[in-house]
Structures are given as structure tokens and as C-alpha cells.
Amino acid sequence: MSEEGFENDESDYHTLPRARISQRKRGLEWFICGGWKFLCTSCSDWLINICRRKKELKARTVWLGCPEKCEEKYPKNAIKNQKYNIFTFIPGVLYEQFKFFLNLYFLIVSCSQFVPALKIGYLYTYWAPLLMCKKNLINLHQISFTEYGTKKMLKSNCSGYCRWSCLIMLFNQRIPSDMVFLRTSEKTGSCFIRTDQLDGETDWKLKVAVSCTQRLPALGDLFSINAYVYAQKPQLDIHSFEGTFTRVSNVNKYISIPLFLALQENTLWASTVVASGTVIGVVIYTGKETRSVMNTSNPKNKVGLLDLELNQLTKALFLALVALSVVMVTLQGFVGPWYRNLFRFLLLFSYIIPISLRVNLDMGKAAYGWMIMKDDNIPGTVVRTSTIPEELGRLVYLLTDKTGTLTQNEMIFKRLHLGTVSYGTDTMDEIQSHIINSYSQSSAPKVRKSVSSRIHEAVKAIALCHNVTPVYESRAGVSGETEYAEVDQDFSDENRAYQASSPDEVALVQWTESVGLTLVNRDLTSMQLKTPGGHILTYYILQIFPFTSESKRMGIIVRDESSGEITFYMKGADVAMSTIVQYNDWLEEECGNMAREGLRTLVVAKKSLTEEQYQDFESRYNQAKLSIHDRNLKVAAVVESLEREMELLCLTGVEDQLQADVRPTLEMLRNAGIKIWMLTGDKLETATCIAKSSHLVSRTQDIHIFRPVTTRGEAHLELNAFRRKHDCALVISGDSLEVCLKYYEHEFVELACQCPAVVCCRCSPTQKAHIVKLLQHHTGKRTCAIGDGGNDVSMIQAADCGIGIEGKAVFSSVFYFASVPLYQGFLMVGYATIYTMFPVFSLVLDQDVKPEMALLYPELYKDLTKLLMVALTIRTWHWLMVVAEFLSLGCYVASLAFLNEYFDVAFITTVTFLWKVSAITVVSCLPLYILKYLKRKFSPPSYSKLTS
């Protein structure tokens, strides 16, 4: 919506009295900048929080437009994600380089050459390698916010205005802070937001404004009311919120309204985007206290396992070097300045730790990265770091996101089962013909037992029992605002799209449209269906009961406008609905059959209510909602009073389309010995279904669903029950996981690591990263994380190897953050490297088996996790290896001719020198050949059986 369009709205602020707009006593002012309209307080205290110490997070009371009434001052809405600043850059980089013993050793050796008594060579031969370092890729990006003023520039999307208690208007904008949704310009009182960067889900979420502020006659009344929001202390959980909205009247009468998060309906979290409509909200959390920032972890510096092993090997060589130097000093009898001689021997023998080893390793990794990018089998792959590509060959745990990574997040309706008859994709035309016939009659079918009447009732129930809203493309009028009047709406099929918090429901509504019953309009109080003949049927929404993880079902009570009939529709998981519907002998069996096909099932039922029954229910329901103590339990008890002996209508099956080749890929990884964990923010039922359909859990394996636990005792009992299971996949929710890790971290991780597969649902971004760190800490194995959305960034950063893929929720930041962790290590191009690099570097061309053989037998991957096998096995001699040998020898011969002042040619040509070189070569290589012989004799690699 344009700015002009909003100004022509009935709540145009230009039409309000001057005193009501300015509210100078309360310091309110209007600002328009970058498509945002800000209702902010004065900026006299913009320096607050600059030097504040970190305080304990507390609940807060936020008065609308009155920050001076707040008990405490909260952080500014400034988010800095830079890794270094001007003061920490040099110390930070130096620490990252020299925290490794190998680099520190060469630094000390180089510094020793400034002492004349210890100098044994030219300075540049020591310092040149240290001064030639890799370029560090550093995240210097900083979002800076400043206050608006005549002498100050407004930077970075005007977010400097977003302070606690500010009223902010947004349209088609990213939400800059955590807010409570107060009002919208649309008559529906609702809007849609996109949350893909927060929870990874690409579906739009419906948000509903606080009822009392939405009913205000004009926009300006928001500024004249005396109201506040009580909000719980900031926390990580994006799926929960406790708060109240309270309005104080002139006679000090308080009217409180609870703020719900069952549908996340009254809250707008930062980093989400207003997808449709115009919203006005009050800021409750800013800066580092927002949900998105609290779920963001600082990236670590990733170090490959090969670097760590090389560092340990360097320490061992250094100890041998010290021992050899002590022996030499001992043979001298500790005469004279023996400590100086000891240090000189350390310098003379320093080539035991070759400086060329570092450059060979770094250049080998760079070559591997280049080969990955040029691989025709994985086109478009971009390697963002050259320090950890070899980690891909030593992975033990693969942690993957679900939505957009394993699945396409596109649902397709596959099956409708009525008990006695089942319809698939090839028989949907029969359902369509039944619907056309039923609505072509003057009234609904009267024969209740016929197939046609049962299909009619089932399709109507599916078309009504949901939270889907049809969205139509904007039609700009003269004023530029979107026209939403029903008489002007275009109900054409090509102009309509469906939005809901769950893609399953969208698939169901799209299917009812395909068979002839179309949802054309919906608001908070009614919905309209279009029949095959073009007639519009109106149903009034009396009550709606949203889906929760505990209830595993959702319901709705509607009144037919034409007949006045009141009907209670409900749909949900079979485990929840089986005890609600009337007795039947087919539901359990058919649910199992559909689940084995990889379909997500929903049971649909209905119950007709008389006017007296509904009025009695409404009275008890409203009374329960006003309860102060145990409100949720009382509300659930009233709703459950309706959920008895409901008529079973049908069973639906929906397929979530998987990404291409997911099933064979997961099977191949599993055969290679890689354990796969799926971490998702989606519901438990959805995650379990995808685990089965993607073959993350094989057909022969059982699944143990970890029951919800909240106390230490419950966690202990459930862990004991899980311990008795064998070869069983685990499915656990994020809340239960937190309880287990709080009291039984070691026991839980030990049991989970024994599972063939683990599924963690309802995981926040922070929980995903925490799980990765737990595996690293308790197992010491290498981990890989793969995802496609902003909510996967923390997990990707925490893993030893992070992979970002393109999907529906992908943003460039995924790849950017995945590349931040490490470009480190010095490019130590030493003097000896010129002569020794090429033969050693050519080993990157070695192949134990052909790629086709490796894909055919993924079990061969297990050998790669053993360093000894990698180091001692050279199977294929590439022709470039031979060229490298001669090239290195040619460089040495050329040096004798052009750098003769540095070489004693007479000594080199003597037999003594040649004998010494041969002896050193034999002595140094003999242990290597002995180890290679013993390994091939007693522990041959797996592929030796294939190639023999």
C-alpha cells in the first residue's frame, strides 16, 4: 500500500484534530521514512544504554507511546553482527593464527633471528613465509542506527526509531522489533506475515489485532487511550508468549485482555515480514532482546580435523627436536654458554618440522575446493572456504533441516477414504461428478446413507474446517490503495491464492476447489463457498479452536446462513480422533495403510448442534476464558464436552513432495556409516511422517516417540522406557529435549547416539546449534549441517562443515554466514617449498577407487575416517605426479646454475654427499614403508577386495 493510499483511508490522520495528533504532552510525533510511518517519542535520551551493564532479563510493562513511564530503560534497537572492530581486528587475527602450535613455533624461530648470537641464516628466509598470509574473510558488516534529526543522517532502514513503547506502522516491510499487533487498516482486523527467516516455514501466518484497539472508531484514538502491555521477560522460545493488554479508563477502571500465542495471533516477531495488509504495533522488545537475535549464535572459527592432527604431530616432532638438541649439548659436556648452544641446536634442527608442510596442506585444500566447484555431477556448487573441504570425507553425523531441504514444502492431496470406498488421484473425477449432482438439486441430498451424500458431507467439512484465507491480487484504485469491498473483488480462479499457517490445509482447500467447492472469501466472522453452479454459500464462524501439539486437532463451529443449522466440524490426527468419533472398524487399519504409503493423514468428523446446545456451550466457554486460575485447563474441558460421539466423515491423505533423489541419497549416506539427524521447527506429526516417507527411518525400524516431559521425574521415567528399545529411531520435541538436557545430558546423548536416526521437532535455531555442539562434545566426531533458510544459520555455523542449499526460504545470508567461520592460517611459502612442494602436492590427484565404484559401494567411506589409512595408502600414480617429480628436480638443478653463491657445488658433487643423501632418504622413508606394508598385510582397506 502506498503512503497516499493510506492517507485516503477513513482513519486518515490529517482529518484528526491537531491536539489529538500531536499529543505534545506525551511527546508523540509523526515520521515518514522509507515506506514506514513512525509514531515515536522524543529523542532526547538517545544515548541511553550506551554504557549500560548487562542486566538480568525481566518482565516489563510497556505503556503505549510513553517510554518515560517504563520502569527500566531497555536496549536500543541496534544489532551488530560484525566479528571484529577497529580495536579487536589485529589482536583477534593474530590470536587466530598463532593459537596453533605449528604457527607459533615458526614465529618464535623467526623472532630468534633478530638476536645476533642466534642468527644462523638470512632473515627473509624466515620472515617471508610469515608475511605472506592468506586473506581473511571477515564479516565487517554492521547495522548502525541513529536518531532522526536535522544534523544526523538516518541509516539502515530507519530502525533507530524502534524503541520500546513506540507505535509503528508497517506495510509490506520487514518487522524491525518484537511487537504486539494492535490495529490494521483492513476491515478484517488481520494480516499475513512471512516467518521463513525465523522458523524456516515458507507459509504465511495469520495475525489478528487486539480486539479492543481494532474496534476503535479512528486511528487517532490509539494516541488518546491510556493503555499498556504487560510482557514476560525476553526468552528464546518463538512459539510461546505470555502477556496482557490493559486499557485504563477515565474512572481508573481496568479492562484486561489476554494476548494469545496459540496461533501466534497477537505478536509480530522481528525478522518476519508483513506480507499483506497494514499493521500498527507497539514495540515490546528491541535489539538483543528480540526473539530473532536471542536465537542467533556467534560464529566460531572452524578448524579441520587434519589441522588439529597436524598440530599434535608438530608437538611430537618438537619434543623429539628438543631431545635431540639436549643430546647434542650433553655430548659437548655442557661447556661454555650451553643454553645458547641448546637454542642454536634447536634452530639448526628446526627443519625436522618442515615449513613447506603448511603450504602443501593449504594448497591441497584449495585444490580440493576447486575440484568440487568444477564437478559436473554437482553443478552450481560454490566452495566458500578453502580450509575445511577435506572434512567432507570424514563426517560421522549429518544434521539436516526438513522444510525446503528434504521436502519441497508442496502438498498434494492423494487419497479420500470413506470407510467403504477409497478415492485416489485417478478417481477424483467421480468425486467431482457427485459434488456437481448434489448441488444441482434444489437442496442437499436427503438420503444419508448414499455414497453421494457422504461425499457431499465430507467435501463440505474439508472446505469449512481450516484456517485458510483466500488472498486476491491487489487492484489499485485512483488513490492507490487496495480495494477489498466484496462487490469489487474479483473471484476469478486465476486471481486467487490461498494462505495458511500449514501447507496441509492449503492442499485440502485446493483439492475441494478442484472437485467443485471453492473457498472464495473469509474474514474473522464468516466465510463464503462457491458451488459448481456459481452460487455463493455463506457460513458464519461462531467459534474456532486452533490446532495445538497437545490436542493434535482443530475444530470450528459454523452456522449456515440459509438454513440456520449449527455444525461443529473437527479434524486431527488419528491418535486423537479415534476416541472422539463413533465406533468403527476401519479407521485404524486405513490410517496404517496410508502411513506406509508416506501420506499424512487427517480424520474429519462433525456434530450437529441445536440452538440451545450451542448457547449453553458458549456460556460455559466464555466463563472459562475469563478464569484467572487454570484457564487453559478449564477451556479445554469445556471444548472436550462437545467432542463426544462425533460422526466420522472421512479420512484424508496428503503427500509432502520430497526433493529429488532424497530417498536414495539418505540410504546411501546411511550405508556409508553416516548417522542422520533431522532438526526441524515443524510439528511432531509432520516430522514423523517425513522421516518415514524420506526413508530417514527404514521400513524395518520402529520409531519411539518421546512423550512430553516437564519435570526431572518424568524425564527419568521416559529415558528408562527408551533405554529398553533396541535399533529404534527417536522422535523428540524441543521442549522435552530441553528438560532431558537439563537433568540427564550425558545419558540422553549416549542413548540418542545409539539410534540409527533421530528426529527433533519444534526446534528453535538456538536448539539446533546446541544439538550440534552436544554431538561434538560428547562424541568427538565430525559433524555436518545442511539447511536452506535463515533459521539454519546457527546450526551451519556450529557444525564442523556447513552446507547451504537453495530452496524456497533461501537468502544470500545463508551462504554468506556459512563462509564466515574460517580463512585462516598463514601461507608459509618457505625456501625449501620450491623444491619439495610439487611432488607432495601432486598427491591430491591420488584415487583409491573410481568415483563410480565409491557410489556403488558407499560402505567404503568408513575407511576415510581413519587417518592412518589416508596417510599410508597411495594407489594411483597420475601422470602429473611424475611431471611434478621432474619439475622439482629441475628447479633444484636450475638453482645450482643461477644461485651458485648459495651452494657448495664441489661438495654436492662428491660421493660423500650423495651417500649422505641416500642414507637420509632410506632412514627417513624406511618407517613409512614398514607401516604401509604392515597395514596392507594385517588391515587392508575395504576396497582392496574389489580391486584385487
Side-chain angles (χ1 to χ4, degrees):
M1 177 185 289
S2 64
E3 296 173 7
E4 295 81 8
F6 188 82
E7 290 169 1
N8 289 328
D9 190 81
E10 63 180 3
S11 56
D12 179 13
Y13 69 89
H14 287 299
T15 64
L16 299 175
R18 178 71 177 177
R20 295 184 67 186
I21 300 175
S22 61
Q23 296 288 325
R24 294 299 181 182
K25 293 182 180 180
R26 303 175 64 184
L28 291 174
E29 298 179 3
W30 276 93
F31 294 102
I32 302 177
C33 186
W36 291 359
K37 297 184 178 181
F38 295 89
L39 292 65
C40 292
T41 58
S42 61
C43 305
S44 59
D45 54 349
W46 67 278
L47 285 175
I48 289 176
N49 295 325
I50 290 182
C51 299
R52 284 183 71 239
R53 293 183 177 180
K54 184 177 181 180
K55 294 185 178 181
E56 180 183 359
L57 299 178
K58 298 180 180 179
R60 73 275 316 269
T61 298
V62 178
W63 290 83
L64 270 63
C66 299
E68 65 275 5
K69 288 188 177 182
C70 295
E71 299 175 357
E72 294 189 22
K73 302 302 181 182
Y74 304 109
K76 293 177 61 178
N77 201 41
I79 304 172
K80 297 181 180 180
N81 61 353
Q82 63 185 26
K83 188 175 181 182
Y84 301 106
N85 58 36
I86 191 173
F87 301 106
T88 62
F89 172 69
I90 294 179
V93 171
L94 291 178
Y95 170 76
E96 291 298 334
Q97 303 301 329
F98 296 111
K99 68 180 180 181
F100 294 100
F101 179 80
L102 178 63
N103 294 355
L104 181 62
Y105 168 77
F106 288 127
L107 177 64
I108 295 175
V109 169
S110 300
C111 291
S112 67
Q113 297 307 291
F114 289 107
V115 180
L118 301 177
K119 188 174 181 181
I120 60 175
Y122 296 98
L123 282 177
Y124 67 84
T125 61
Y126 290 91
W127 280 96
L130 290 177
L131 295 177
M132 299 177 62
C133 63
K134 283 185 180 179
K135 295 181 179 179
N136 284 268
L137 178 60
I138 302 167
N139 184 7
L140 291 177
H141 177 64
Q142 176 183 3
I143 304 175
S144 62
F145 308 109
T146 60
E147 299 294 336
Y148 184 84
T150 56
K151 295 183 179 180
K152 296 179 180 178
M153 297 295 293
L154 185 64
K155 299 181 181 179
S156 193
N157 294 336
C158 315
S159 296
Y161 288 115
C162 303
R163 302 168 61 209
W164 62 93
S165 81
C166 284
L167 298 174
I168 300 179
M169 180 180 295
L170 302 168
F171 41 92
N172 297 329
Q173 294 289 126
R174 184 170 298 278
I175 299 173
S177 59
D178 289 354
M179 304 191 300
V180 170
F181 185 15
L182 298 179
R183 185 181 174 89
T184 178
S185 62
E186 281 71 35
K187 297 179 180 179
T188 60
S190 61
C191 73
F192 284 100
I193 67 170
R194 298 199 310 268
T195 63
D196 45 12
Q197 285 295 79
L198 188 64
D199 59 10
E201 301 299 322
T202 58
D203 304 288
W204 292 8
K205 304 295 190 300
L206 179 66
K207 296 292 181 177
V208 181
V210 176
S211 57
C212 69
T213 52
Q214 179 63 29
R215 289 195 297 264
L216 292 174
L219 175 63
D221 294 335
L222 265 181
F223 317 138
S224 60
I225 66 172
N226 193 17
Y228 63 86
V229 172
Y230 170 79
Q232 65 180 159
K233 68 178 183 179
Q235 59 179 2
L236 295 173
D237 192 358
I238 63 176
H239 300 293
S240 65
F241 175 74
E242 295 178 3
T244 56
F245 179 88
T246 303
R247 181 178 177 182
V248 185
S249 64
N250 296 331
V251 293
N252 289 332
K253 182 179 180 181
Y254 293 83
I255 303 175
S256 296
I257 300 176
L259 301 178
F260 297 101
L261 200 61
L263 281 175
Q264 304 181 20
E265 55 184 14
N266 299 131
T267 55
L268 304 171
W269 297 145
S271 296
T272 59
V273 178
V274 179
S276 69
T278 302
V279 304
I280 300 175
V282 59
V283 177
I284 54 175
Y285 305 122
T286 54
K288 60 185 178 182
E289 294 183 347
T290 60
R291 292 293 203 273
S292 60
V293 175
M294 293 185 72
N295 276 282
T296 302
S297 59
N298 295 325
K300 70 171 185 177
N301 288 326
K302 297 187 180 181
V303 181
L305 182 59
L306 190 60
D307 290 298
L308 297 177
E309 292 168 340
L310 178 62
N311 202 51
Q312 297 299 324
L313 180 61
T314 303
K315 294 178 181 178
L317 292 175
F318 178 75
L319 292 178
L321 187 153
V322 172
L324 182 60
S325 300
V326 171
V327 170
M328 298 301 295
V329 173
T330 303
L331 293 177
Q332 287 183 342
F334 291 96
V335 294
W338 62 268
Y339 50 86
R340 185 176 65 184
N341 293 335
L342 175 65
F343 205 95
R344 289 179 67 88
F345 278 120
L346 288 174
L347 295 176
L348 288 171
F349 294 142
S350 63
Y351 290 101
I352 291 178
I353 306 176
I355 198 171
S356 59
L357 182 63
R358 179 78 258 176
V359 66
N360 284 328
L361 183 62
D362 288 338
M363 296 195 68
K365 292 181 177 184
Y368 283 139
W370 182 84
M371 292 177 182
I372 292 174
M373 290 191 290
K374 296 301 180 181
D375 193 336
D376 295 333
N377 295 321
I378 46 175
T381 303
V382 178
V383 178
R384 298 291 189 184
T385 173
S386 63
T387 59
I388 53 173
E390 80 285 355
E391 292 290 276
L392 292 172
R394 306 182 71 177
L395 301 177
V396 178
Y397 289 95
L398 175 65
L399 301 102
T400 175
D401 180 40
K402 178 188 73 69
T403 306
T405 304
L406 297 181
T407 70
Q408 300 181 26
N409 203 32
E410 294 181 0
M411 308 294 177
I412 299 179
F413 190 94
K414 286 288 187 178
R415 191 173 299 279
L416 178 71
H417 205 293
L418 301 178
T420 56
V421 61
S422 177
Y423 296 92
T425 54
D426 54 343
T427 56
M428 293 301 175
D429 54 339
E430 297 183 22
I431 297 179
Q432 186 177 18
S433 62
H434 283 297
I435 295 297
I436 294 175
N437 293 334
S438 64
Y439 281 106
S440 62
Q441 302 174 8
S442 58
S443 61
K446 300 299 182 182
V447 184
R448 306 301 296 176
K449 297 297 183 180
S450 68
V451 174
S452 180
S453 64
R454 293 169 62 190
I455 292 176
H456 173 268
E457 288 297 328
V459 173
K460 183 171 71 171
I462 296 172
L464 290 173
C465 187
H466 53 73
N467 66 350
V468 180
T469 302
V471 178
Y472 295 87
E473 294 182 3
S474 303
R475 294 200 312 149
V478 177
S479 62
E481 69 174 1
T482 304
E483 300 178 3
Y484 281 99
E486 292 184 10
V487 295
D488 296 332
Q489 275 189 337
D490 182 6
F491 286 162
S492 60
D493 294 341
E494 63 274 5
N495 195 45
R496 179 175 54 252
Y498 295 113
Q499 293 298 337
S501 58
S502 172
D504 304 64
E505 296 203 317
V506 174
L508 293 173
V509 174
Q510 288 175 337
W511 174 77
T512 62
E513 178 184 1
S514 67
V515 297
L517 194 58
T518 306
L519 176 67
V520 294
N521 190 31
R522 180 178 183 152
D523 55 32
L524 296 180
T525 59
S526 66
M527 68 177 75
Q528 293 179 318
L529 304 179
K530 185 172 67 173
T531 67
H535 296 91
I536 301 296
L537 306 177
T538 300
Y539 295 86
Y540 297 111
I541 301 175
L542 303 181
Q543 301 288 345
I544 185 168
F545 314 109
F547 178 92
T548 64
S549 299
E550 292 76 21
S551 66
K552 298 181 175 61
R553 57 190 181 272
M554 70 88 58
I556 188 172
I557 301 178
V558 298
R559 186 198 301 271
D560 191 336
E561 181 190 43
S562 59
S563 64
E565 295 180 353
I566 300 176
T567 308
F568 173 37
Y569 292 105
M570 177 163 282
K571 67 181 180 184
D574 59 299
V575 292
M577 298 291 292
S578 58
T579 58
I580 294 176
V581 299
Q582 297 171 352
Y583 172 77
N584 63 89
D585 58 358
W586 60 271
L587 180 60
E588 183 178 356
E589 180 181 358
E590 294 303 329
C591 284
N593 294 336
M594 289 190 185
R596 281 185 285 273
E597 296 178 22
L599 301 181
R600 299 161 66 167
T601 58
L602 282 176
V603 181
V604 184
K606 80 163 190 175
K607 185 176 186 179
S608 298
L609 302 176
T610 64
E611 186 68 33
E612 293 76 14
Q613 288 176 324
Y614 174 72
Q615 293 299 332
D616 176 66
F617 165 79
E618 185 180 37
S619 175
R620 293 184 289 116
Y621 186 66
N622 291 335
Q623 185 177 2
K625 289 195 296 184
L626 295 176
S627 300
I628 299 177
H629 303 290
D630 300 327
R631 177 190 301 166
N632 294 335
L633 293 177
K634 294 179 180 179
V635 169
V638 174
V639 175
E640 288 176 2
S641 66
L642 283 182
E643 302 171 344
R644 297 172 183 171
E645 292 297 311
M646 298 189 70
E647 178 186 351
L648 175 59
L649 297 179
C650 65
L651 176 66
T652 65
V654 176
E655 181 186 37
D656 189 355
Q657 287 192 312
L658 300 174
Q659 297 282 8
D661 299 326
V662 160
R663 290 171 179 167
T665 300
L666 293 182
E667 183 178 1
M668 185 177 298
L669 291 172
R670 191 164 49 244
N671 293 337
I674 297 177
K675 293 187 176 181
I676 306 171
W677 289 32
M678 184 172 76
L679 313 180
T680 176
D682 212 337
K683 301 184 292 290
L684 183 145
E685 295 77 17
T686 304
T688 305
C689 184
I690 294 302
K692 295 178 180 177
S693 62
S694 65
H695 294 176
L696 176 66
V697 178
S698 65
R699 297 179 180 272
T700 60
Q701 290 173 345
D702 295 328
I703 296 180
H704 177 80
I705 299 179
F706 206 91
R707 291 185 299 179
V709 295
T710 56
T711 64
R712 180 171 185 167
E714 293 176 349
H716 179 72
L717 293 176
E718 191 62 21
L719 284 173
N720 285 339
F722 177 49
R723 186 177 286 108
R724 292 190 289 268
K725 301 291 183 70
H726 299 284
D727 192 31
C728 182
L730 173 65
V731 179
I732 187 172
S733 65
D735 294 336
S736 299
L737 177 66
E738 284 295 320
V739 177
C740 292
L741 295 180
K742 181 178 180 181
Y743 300 109
Y744 302 103
E745 177 179 304
H746 179 75
E747 292 82 356
F748 174 81
V749 176
E750 183 181 7
L751 290 174
C753 290
Q754 297 174 3
C755 297
V758 176
V759 176
C760 298
C761 59
R762 286 297 182 189
C763 280
S764 66
T766 301
Q767 283 180 320
K768 291 184 177 183
H770 186 46
I771 293 172
V772 174
K773 295 174 183 176
L774 280 176
L775 289 177
Q776 294 170 339
H777 174 69
H778 285 273
T779 67
K781 305 297 184 181
R782 312 312 282 173
T783 60
C784 177
I786 180 171
D788 72 311
N791 65 315
D792 302 316
V793 170
S794 297
M795 175 177 66
I796 291 174
Q797 290 175 338
D800 297 297
C801 185
I803 301 175
I805 64 173
E806 290 187 359
K808 282 190 173 182
V810 74
F811 283 78
S812 59
S813 60
V814 174
F815 295 98
Y816 182 72
F817 283 121
S819 66
V820 168
L822 192 60
Y823 277 157
Q824 71 169 22
F826 284 104
L827 183 58
M828 297 183 173
V829 185
Y831 176 76
T833 300
I834 299 177
Y835 306 105
T836 62
M837 171 193 149
F838 298 110
V840 180
F841 176 70
S842 64
L843 296 180
V844 300
L845 303 172
D846 175 61
Q847 288 186 357
D848 297 335
V849 295
K850 294 183 179 297
E852 297 79 9
M853 186 69 70
L855 294 176
L856 185 60
Y857 298 99
E859 294 80 3
L860 302 177
Y861 179 87
K862 300 176 184 178
D863 286 334
L864 295 178
T865 59
K866 306 171 185 176
L867 178 63
L868 189 62
M869 191 282 294
V870 178
L872 301 180
T873 305
I874 303 297
R875 304 292 297 180
T876 305
W877 283 92
H878 198 278
W879 64 270
L880 286 178
M881 296 181 180
V882 180
V883 173
E885 295 282 353
F886 285 103
L887 181 61
S888 180
L889 180 61
C891 291
Y892 182 75
V893 173
S895 300
L896 294 178
F898 297 100
L899 302 175
N900 51 17
E901 66 273 14
Y902 295 98
F903 296 91
D904 189 346
V905 180
F907 176 76
I908 291 176
T909 56
T910 61
V911 178
T912 304
F913 172 76
L914 296 177
W915 179 84
K916 288 183 178 181
V917 171
S918 301
I920 293 174
T921 303
V922 172
V923 172
S924 61
C925 295
L926 184 60
L928 179 63
Y929 284 107
I930 293 176
L931 287 174
K932 291 179 69 172
Y933 172 78
L934 293 176
K935 184 188 180 300
R936 293 180 182 178
K937 183 71 175 178
F938 298 104
S939 180
S942 301
Y943 55 78
S944 61
K945 300 177 182 178
L946 301 176
T947 57
S948 60

